[in-house]
Amino acid sequence: MAAAALLPAPAPVPLPAAFAGWWEHVNGSPAWQDGIFWALAALYGLIAASSFIQVARIQHRVPEYGWTTQKVFQFLNFLVNGARCSIFAFRRQVQLVNPQIFQHVILDLPGLAFFTTYAMLALFWAEISYQARGLDTDGLRSGFYTINGVVYAMQVLVWVLLWLNPNSSMLVLSKLFIAGLSFSAALGFLLYGGRLFLMLKRFPIESKGRQQKLSEVGRVAAICSCCFLARCVMMCFAAFNKDADLDVLDHPILNFIYYLLVEIVPSALVLYILRRIPSKLKLAHYHPLSSG
């Protein structure tokens, strides 16, 4: 037993040579880099187009409703995915932007807008939960604006510090800030989505739309929680491992996997689940009184 304890720990199994060679070839090939970034741009463009179509459909169907939460959510999705589409379409030009701090702003800002867009869903669920219990919802909306204001102010502060002192420690701080923000968003979806899910589950089974709304809330909350948790884990990993850096041109496969898992697939699934739009208002016909 003592002799066995002194044996060295087994070395980690290396990647197969063929796979490792392919990975290095793709990462170092400008043609592969451009192809993957254009593929990401196309996927983001499809989601942006679908969101814009939904905004147009809602406006055409019920123009008298104004800017509802659903319409604002779809419009923000259009802006976020449109921005990502443009960034990946011109990814090589973005990498040449100087001073370098503007590269960080261009690459980080859509992620913040993504947080705001999906935090709006958590706000909507919180408002429903509060209204069902007869509580005032004014504080929720003002709290939403305050939290977003603080988040953007903190991000601007991180950018300023990174500009004044561009070293590895500040880069780590920038990525950890995104990781912490993503973890908070995941908790918000678990809290408010779970609360609304449990509240809907207590409704009578015959309640109109109860089963559909229950499934909708449960699936969206699970998707968004997993998406933000995955972003948190990836940002923590990237903060302390240069091989996982996403802000460079020679990690296209990692970029494709990351953005596919944390933004593209979750956005597509959520937009599909929330694809229903309000029914057109039907005004009762006016029947004038007869002369008799």
Side-chain angles (χ1 to χ4, degrees), residues 161-173:
L161 292 175
L162 189 58
W163 179 36
L164 297 175
N165 192 15
N167 55 43
S168 58
S169 299
M170 292 309 304
L171 286 172
V172 169
L173 176 64

Side-chain angles (χ1 to χ4, degrees), residues 61-183:
R61 178 77 64 87
V62 282
E64 59 275 5
Y65 280 5
W67 283 94
T68 61
T69 301
Q70 184 185 21
K71 189 188 291 187
V72 173
F73 174 73
Q74 294 284 358
F75 183 69
L76 288 177
N77 264 291
F78 163 68
L79 293 180
V80 171
N81 288 284
R84 285 286 193 208
C85 173
S86 301
I87 289 170
F88 280 113
F90 299 98
R91 186 64 184 84
R92 199 165 290 279
Q93 288 79 4
V94 170
Q95 199 69 23
L96 300 176
V97 171
N98 278 309
Q100 194 173 17
I101 185 60
F102 290 122
Q103 294 182 28
H104 294 288
V105 174
I106 293 171
L107 295 173
D108 292 344
L109 196 55
L112 289 178
F114 184 86
F115 163 79
T116 299
T117 302
Y118 283 84
M120 184 171 290
L121 277 183
L123 169 68
F124 181 57
W125 292 343
E127 287 180 334
I128 294 175
S129 178
Y130 273 54
Q131 288 169 354
R133 292 181 291 165
L135 301 175
D136 182 35
T137 61
D138 292 340
L140 288 174
R141 194 161 287 271
S142 60
F144 172 79
Y145 294 135
T146 302
I147 289 172
N148 274 274
V150 171
V151 165
Y152 282 83
M154 291 177 66
Q155 179 64 77
V156 170
L157 178 61
V158 171
W159 285 333
V160 170
L161 292 175
L162 189 58
W163 179 36
L164 297 175
N165 192 15
N167 55 43
S168 58
S169 299
M170 292 309 304
L171 286 172
V172 169
L173 176 64
S174 177
K175 296 182 188 304
L176 290 181
F177 173 74
I178 299 296
L181 184 63
S182 302
F183 184 73

Side-chain angles (χ1 to χ4, degrees), residues 175 178-179 182 227-241 243-246 251 254-255 257-259 261-262:
K175 296 182 188 304
I178 299 296
S182 302
C227 141
F228 281 106
L229 283 175
R231 185 191 291 268
C232 172
V233 171
M234 189 62 195
M235 282 293 104
C236 289
F237 187 62
F240 301 103
N241 189 343
D243 291 336
D245 191 2
L246 296 164
H251 289 161
L254 200 60
N255 270 267
I257 295 171
Y258 172 77
Y259 287 106
L261 292 180
V262 306

Side-chain angles (χ1 to χ4, degrees), residues 39 42 153 195 197 280:
R195 184 179 291 176
F197 182 85
K280 194 173 184 64

Side-chain angles (χ1 to χ4, degrees), residues 17-38:
F19 178 78
W22 174 83
W23 182 280
E24 294 298 328
H25 169 70
V26 170
N27 281 339
S29 167
W32 273 101
Q33 292 168 7
D34 291 341
I36 290 175
F37 291 141
W38 274 106

